[in-house]
Amino acid sequence: MTTALWNDLAPAPRPAGWGAATHVAVGLWRIADPRGVVVGHVRAIATEGGWRFAAERFHTATGGFRRLGEFWSSADALECLRYAR
């Protein structure tokens, strides 16, 4: 079972040369491409086994975010956002 992180101990994601991560809330980062276009969010999740990172994208039709997947590394969550456009 996973629970949302309510403190700020999560390691920040680092887009590897293709964009920028902006800390927007506790355990949540906004990810933008090199042009500054927001591509989604990476959310840190605390689990018993360590940190998980969820890639989330805004869904216009519902007005909410959809989770694309959960990963054991922030790099994998970033790659999911990068290539799932």
Side-chain angles (χ1 to χ4, degrees):
M1 175 164 164
T2 61
T3 57
L5 174 70
W6 296 109
N7 59 39
D8 219 1
L9 301 175
R14 294 184 179 90
W18 66 267
T22 304
H23 189 252
V24 293
V26 175
L28 184 68
W29 292 269
R30 180 181 300 124
I31 309 301
D33 70 10
R35 297 172 294 154
V37 176
V38 175
V39 295
H41 288 134
V42 170
R43 181 179 306 277
I45 302 165
T47 68
E48 291 179 13
W51 292 106
R52 303 253 318 152
F53 297 89
E56 300 175 345
R57 173 105 10 134
F58 185 72
H59 186 253
T60 307
T62 60
F65 284 88
R66 290 208 173 156
R67 187 163 289 183
L68 302 177
E70 283 187 23
F71 306 91
W72 284 109
S73 75
S74 62
D76 289 343
L78 289 166
E79 290 302 299
C80 178
L81 286 174
R82 180 180 182 186
Y83 291 112
R85 301 199 305 167

